[in-house]
Amino acid sequence: AFRRIKYYYPDFEAPDIYTIITGFQYDLTVEDKVALVGLDFYLGNAHSHYRPDVRELPEYIWRRYDVSTLVPNTIRFMSSNFISQDSKDKTMLNQMIAYGKVYYFMEKVLPDVPDSVLVGYTGQEMYNAEGNLDFIWGHFIENGVFFDQSKQAETRYIKEAPFVNIISEKCPGRIGRWLGWQIVRAYMKEHSEITLAELMQDTNAQKIFQQSHFKPQKSTP
């Protein structure tokens, strides 16, 4: 992963990695030169009795902690060092594109990792998201979600949740992040001349949205 980051960012210097048994409430701490990884978070369900006592974490979040997610989670944390965002733009679209760039960065750096692991969905959740993309897209369009600036919209579509009740109990939580990823993917497919570094620094979410020409195909019943 670090070699691939170095490919896209020649000036990148990999941080030193320290693995620790935390006993605390932090799974990862990533800074410019040091990354601390709490191994007791990533032992998986088979060793759940070793988990830190983090009572506020529900099971649908705990299941995303496993040895297979250790590297993707670390890269996700590190991606913030490369991504710029317009802090004045409070729309849902701006947040969606920002998260979309996170996942796009991850897929370029970790090309062999399945999408489900990158985004933290189960296989069933991936199936539900991809199989109902046209319905989810229609909901966002019809309800003006893209340009909503309310905290309620952020809670519904961006923040942690087992599902998005207003769409369907089969719609996985954080669906706005995943949808932003699909928009960013479409944009980069349309603009192959743009480098990863250029994309990460582009703060014009509306331009990325419009020039992606993203429009999901109607799902087959």
Side-chain angles (χ1 to χ4, degrees):
F2 288 165
R3 285 198 299 269
R4 291 191 180 99
I5 295 177
K6 185 76 172 178
Y7 170 80
Y8 292 109
Y9 295 87
D11 295 333
F12 169 72
E13 294 185 11
D16 292 328
I17 303 292
Y18 293 90
T19 59
I20 58 177
I21 303 300
T22 67
F24 298 110
Q25 297 186 3
Y26 299 100
D27 56 335
L28 280 169
T29 299
V30 180
E31 299 181 358
D32 290 340
K33 296 183 179 181
V34 174
L36 299 178
V37 181
L39 292 182
D40 42 345
F41 276 81
Y42 290 95
L43 295 174
N45 285 331
H47 304 283
S48 60
H49 49 285
Y50 288 112
R51 286 175 175 173
D53 186 15
V54 187
R55 300 179 187 278
E56 68 271 18
L57 280 184
E59 186 58 33
Y60 72 88
I61 293 179
W62 263 125
R63 63 171 168 73
R64 303 206 301 263
Y65 283 93
D66 190 82
V67 65
S68 65
T69 65
L70 194 158
V71 174
N73 280 4
T74 303
I75 297 301
R76 177 167 54 85
F77 270 76
M78 291 181 62
S79 69
S80 61
N81 295 327
F82 304 95
I83 296 173
S84 295
Q85 182 181 8
D86 183 358
S87 59
K88 296 180 181 178
D89 186 345
K90 305 300 183 182
T91 63
M92 278 289 302
L93 177 63
N94 188 48
Q95 295 190 59
M96 291 169 63
I97 296 301
Y99 277 109
K101 290 195 292 184
V102 169
Y103 294 125
Y104 190 80
F105 181 90
M106 292 172 69
E107 74 169 287
K108 300 303 286 185
V109 173
L110 299 168
D112 299 322
V113 176
D115 288 359
S116 58
V117 176
L118 294 179
V119 76
Y121 283 170
T122 64
Q124 184 62 52
E125 286 174 332
M126 283 296 298
Y127 178 83
N128 290 342
E130 294 173 346
N132 295 285
L133 178 54
D134 60 321
F135 180 77
I136 294 167
W137 180 261
H139 173 89
F140 272 66
I141 294 292
E142 292 167 12
N143 292 277
V145 175
F146 292 110
F147 299 102
D148 196 329
Q149 300 185 38
S150 68
K151 288 293 183 183
Q152 184 181 45
E154 181 182 4
T155 299
R156 282 175 175 171
Y157 306 107
I158 296 291
K159 291 190 174 181
E160 293 284 1
F163 52 84
V164 183
N165 187 51
I166 195 172
I167 297 179
S168 167
E169 290 188 3
K170 293 184 178 180
C171 178
R174 301 173 291 117
I175 196 64
R177 304 186 192 187
W178 179 81
L179 189 55
W181 185 15
Q182 309 318 303
I183 294 170
V184 170
R185 278 176 158 175
Y187 174 76
M188 291 301 284
K189 188 174 181 179
E190 290 278 325
H191 299 276
S192 58
E193 76 283 359
I194 295 175
T195 67
L196 180 67
E198 289 171 340
L199 171 67
M200 295 299 113
Q201 290 300 306
D202 193 340
T203 60
N204 193 334
Q206 188 165 349
K207 182 199 75 175
I208 292 173
F209 179 49
Q210 291 174 342
Q211 294 186 8
S212 72
H213 306 299
F214 181 72
K215 188 175 182 181
Q217 300 296 314
K218 199 170 186 64
S219 299
T220 302

